[in-house]
Amino acid sequence: MDTAELTALLEEVRERVRARHPEGSTVQLPDLIQLMHARDAAEGKVAAIGTVNPRGGGPLNWLVQQIKKLVARALDWHVREQVEFNRNVMACVQATFEALEETRRVLGADELQQAKDIRLHWTQWRQGWEHKLAVNETNLLRTVAEMNAAFQHRTGLLDNSYRERLMAQHDDFKAEVDRRTIDIQQRLWADLERIRLEYERLIHAELRVVRQRAAVSAALSMPPPGAAPPPAVAPPPFDYGRFAERFRGSEEYVKAGLEFYRPFFQDRHAVLDIGCGRGEFLELMRDAGVPARGIDLSQESIDLFRHKGLAAETADLLVYLADLPGPVLDGIYCAQVVEHLPPERLPEMIRLSAAALERGGVLAIETPNPECLAIFATHFYLDPTHTRPVPHALLAFYMEEYGFGLIEVERRSPAVESMPSLASLPADFRDAFFGGLDYTIIGRKL
């Protein structure tokens, strides 16, 4: 029984009570005690009719009693109707008492039944209410638990999503910081390189002023115009290609070592290979998409280059560089050549290379490293066309004299790779006296 049914039941009981007892009246039975007392007194009087008061013994009292009885019988005959009336009245009073008692009993039983009905309905309603309350409480607790679980799940998802976004933002931040740091470092190094280049240009300009002052005396000692240039170095009277194959290594071996130069010539537009040999460097430039051509004294090598589709020609390096119409190159590569030149021609080669390069052009020279004592025991004197080794300090001096800056020296071909016995020497001693068999010096035109 729900609240609506209980309310309807109470309203029905209330209407029944209002029907029996109009509004303003009270349900209260009268007190019959005084009426009962009056009835008992009246019945005593009715019972006393025809009787006389008792008296003591003796003839006289007996006679008086007989006279009283005679008078009472006479009176009883005279008032018998009154006596019957009195008795009927008392019977009516008794019947009234019995009717009132029955009424009291009926009213009490009716109210008791109604109370029992109310208690029964209340018990049923309470049981139903407690059952519904338990069900509703269970449903409520289940709903609260489900909501709590959903909230925890949602909170977990939001927390995980927040953590993932935070980690992603942190990773993005670190990546951006790293990128910015690398960018700042690159710009810093670029600025430092530019400052160094400007500084070296300034030094070169000052040195040029000094050299110009000595130009007059140098002009007096120069040969007259039209004089023949110094004689070119004649090609060796043997198969130099077979010689290079045996003592320098295969073309694949040489190409693998030439990858070192790719970053320096990657974006160039006019590169010259002086002493192009078997053409490994020209093939590297062709693979990199860089326009390049070579010069060499060997006509056999030039024919081989043309067969490979490479641009090359037979020429003396000093004559070729002197005939170039100004700075038309932005890269010059010269490997295993300067050690073949007479010492007096080396400065002229550096000067002509500087004149042929644009500002910012690269000059890379590779030659045996005289700091490595191992080359004198084996490699250097294997080639009979070698004149003398050139220390990197001397090449750096010549390059600085003729306008090159940002000079770098890289030692290559560690001697220990071809002479494993050198590994037994102390590392610092080995690096100082048996380091790289060759070195590369790289400078940029100021």
Side-chain angles (χ1 to χ4, degrees):
M1 181 180 294
D2 55 10
T3 305
E5 294 176 353
L6 179 61
T7 303
L9 177 61
L10 294 177
E11 186 65 27
E12 182 182 355
V13 173
R14 187 180 294 110
E15 291 299 330
R16 290 170 60 185
V17 173
R18 287 176 179 173
R20 292 185 181 182
H21 306 284
E23 187 175 359
S25 62
T26 58
V27 180
Q28 183 176 3
L29 297 176
D31 190 7
L32 302 179
I33 297 299
Q34 295 181 357
L35 184 58
M36 292 177 62
H37 290 169
R39 183 204 61 184
D40 293 340
E43 287 181 348
K45 291 297 183 180
V46 172
I49 294 176
T51 62
V52 294
N53 293 331
R55 296 182 64 84
L60 182 60
N61 288 333
W62 180 81
L63 181 59
V64 172
Q65 287 294 107
Q66 290 301 321
I67 294 171
K68 285 183 178 180
K69 291 179 181 179
L70 181 61
V71 173
R73 282 195 296 271
L75 290 175
D76 182 56
W77 174 80
H78 180 71
V79 293
R80 60 180 182 276
E81 297 293 339
Q82 184 66 39
V83 172
E84 290 295 332
F85 172 76
N86 292 337
R87 289 177 177 173
N88 291 332
V89 169
M90 294 309 300
C92 179
V93 171
Q94 183 64 32
T96 302
F97 271 111
E98 293 177 356
L100 290 176
E101 185 65 24
E102 181 66 20
T103 301
R104 180 191 295 273
R105 185 185 64 79
V106 171
L107 289 177
D110 189 20
E111 294 295 334
L112 181 62
Q113 184 63 34
Q114 292 182 5
K116 288 181 179 180
D117 294 340
I118 292 175
R119 285 197 299 271
L120 179 60
H121 288 301
W122 171 259
T123 302
Q124 294 175 354
W125 174 85
R126 182 176 180 181
Q127 292 176 353
W129 171 259
E130 289 179 351
H131 175 70
K132 292 183 178 181
L133 182 62
V135 172
N136 292 335
E137 184 177 1
T138 303
N139 294 334
L140 177 62
L141 293 177
R142 184 181 296 111
T143 303
V144 171
E146 292 175 354
M147 293 177 62
N148 184 54
F151 175 75
Q152 293 294 336
H153 177 68
R154 182 64 176 171
T155 302
L157 292 178
L158 291 176
D159 183 66
N160 293 335
S161 177
Y162 172 75
R163 290 179 182 274
E164 291 176 358
R165 289 199 302 268
L166 188 62
M167 291 298 295
Q169 292 177 358
H170 181 65
D171 294 339
D172 294 341
F173 174 75
K174 290 178 62 178
E176 184 66 18
V177 170
D178 294 340
R179 190 180 66 81
R180 294 289 184 179
T181 302
I182 294 174
D183 183 58
I184 291 174
Q185 290 178 350
Q186 291 176 347
R187 286 187 293 174
L188 176 62
W189 287 116
D191 292 341
L192 290 176
E193 185 175 358
R194 179 179 54 80
I195 293 172
R196 179 183 172 186
L197 186 61
E198 294 294 333
Y199 180 70
E200 292 187 357
R201 284 175 180 169
L202 179 62
I203 294 177
H204 178 67
E206 295 295 332
L207 291 176
R208 183 182 299 171
V209 173
V210 175
R211 287 194 296 268
Q212 287 176 353
R213 293 176 180 175
V216 176
S217 59
L220 296 177
S221 61
M222 288 179 63
V233 178
F238 55 83
D239 188 352
Y240 197 80
R242 182 168 172 268
F243 177 85
E245 182 73 22
R246 171 175 293 185
F247 296 109
R248 190 179 181 193
S250 64
E251 292 189 21
E252 290 73 16
Y253 173 78
V254 175
K255 286 180 181 179
L258 290 177
E259 287 294 329
F260 168 78
Y261 297 100
R262 184 187 291 269
F264 298 99
F265 294 93
Q266 182 68 49
D267 299 323
R268 304 293 167 176
H269 60 82
V271 176
L272 176 65
D273 182 3
I274 298 177
C276 47
R278 293 177 298 183
E280 296 94 345
F281 181 79
L282 294 177
E283 292 181 5
L284 175 68
M285 293 293 99
R286 182 180 62 185
D287 296 340
V290 178
R293 59 185 300 108
I295 59 174
D296 200 278
L297 292 176
S298 172
Q299 184 61 43
E300 182 180 356
S301 297
I302 299 302
D303 295 338
L304 177 62
F305 297 157
R306 291 172 181 172
H307 178 72
K308 291 182 178 181
L310 301 174
E313 59 182 286
T314 305
D316 177 80
L317 66 92
L318 296 180
V319 176
Y320 183 88
L321 293 174
D323 291 341
L324 291 177
V328 294
L329 302 175
D330 65 345
I332 296 177
Y333 171 75
C334 179
Q336 307 298 327
V337 172
V338 295
E339 67 273 14
H340 296 269
L341 298 178
E344 64 273 10
R345 298 188 67 185
L346 182 57
E348 184 66 11
M349 173 199 165
I350 302 298
R351 184 185 69 80
L352 293 175
S353 297
L357 284 172
E358 301 173 352
R359 174 174 287 190
V362 174
L363 172 62
I365 300 176
E366 180 181 320
T367 186
N369 180 18
E371 291 181 347
C372 179
L373 301 181
I375 69 165
F376 299 109
T378 55
H379 298 78
F380 188 80
Y381 293 112
L382 280 175
D383 192 339
T385 62
H386 286 175
T387 58
R388 56 172 290 181
V390 183
H392 69 81
L394 180 60
L395 268 181
F397 175 77
Y398 288 155
M399 293 174 71
E400 290 174 354
E401 278 292 305
Y402 294 110
F404 288 94
L406 302 178
I407 298 174
E408 306 174 23
V409 177
E410 180 73 21
R411 290 163 181 82
R412 299 170 50 75
S413 303
V416 70
E417 293 181 358
S418 58
M419 301 177 183
S421 59
L422 295 176
S424 61
L425 296 176
D428 54 349
F429 180 83
R430 185 175 66 244
D431 294 339
F433 295 99
F434 297 95
L437 294 173
D438 300 323
Y439 75 86
T440 297
I441 185 168
I442 301 173
R444 291 164 180 80
K445 175 68 177 297
L446 299 175

